[in-house]
Amino acid sequence: ITFVEMEPVVPVGATILGPYTPAIKANGLVFCSGQIGLVNGNLVDGLQEQTKASLENCKEVLAAAGSSLSKVVKATVYITDMSHFGSVNEIYSTYFTSPFPARSCVAVKELPKGALVEIEVLALQ
């Protein structure tokens, strides 16, 4: 078994809602925790604004890890209502270019702080 060194990534000023790290760098990859639409610790209003803020938070975490959205290989999107799929895609598609990352989208009952969307990403370092 080969030991893999893991390095925690915590952006300056990050709002952390529980016992987790915003990202972990390991073996040339960046594993980002799910990001909701928080700005200055407060959930923004509306689905599209929350989607933008979630992606901006992903971007910030990746930058702190020395990566970027252009290096994302997999994204997972959690939404509280599958009828939001199109609206989320509308914003999501402005943050990524072809070839788009692999992605899953899952409808869930609830998200932290009453968020409507949460996005987590896995990126190359």
Side-chain angles (χ1 to χ4, degrees):
I1 297 175
T2 304
F3 176 75
V4 176
E5 190 172 319
M6 299 187 306
E7 179 184 337
V9 177
V10 181
V12 174
T15 300
I16 301 173
L17 302 177
Y20 65 89
T21 303
I24 296 287
K25 293 194 303 187
N27 239 16
L29 298 171
V30 181
F31 298 84
C32 294
S33 295
Q35 300 296 311
I36 59 174
L38 295 177
V39 174
N40 298 321
N42 298 307
L43 187 65
V44 297
D45 291 329
L47 176 66
Q48 291 193 324
E49 290 306 310
Q50 285 186 28
T51 304
K52 287 177 192 172
S54 295
L55 287 162
E56 288 296 325
N57 291 338
C58 287
K59 195 159 117 177
E60 191 175 306
V61 171
L62 288 168
S67 188
S68 67
L69 288 175
S70 66
K71 294 182 178 181
V72 171
V73 294
K74 173 72 166 81
T76 304
V77 179
Y78 302 94
I79 52 180
T80 57
D81 188 328
M82 199 49 85
S83 70
H84 296 158
F85 186 76
S87 295
V88 169
N89 276 342
E90 195 175 303
I91 302 301
Y92 180 95
S93 67
T94 66
Y95 281 81
F96 295 99
T97 56
S98 184
F100 296 103
R103 187 182 84 176
S104 301
C105 183
V106 181
V108 297
K109 183 178 178 191
E110 291 181 277
L111 290 167
K113 290 194 160 274
L116 302 171
V117 61
E118 179 173 348
I119 302 170
E120 67 179 38
V121 295
L122 169 61
L124 302 174
Q125 209 167 317

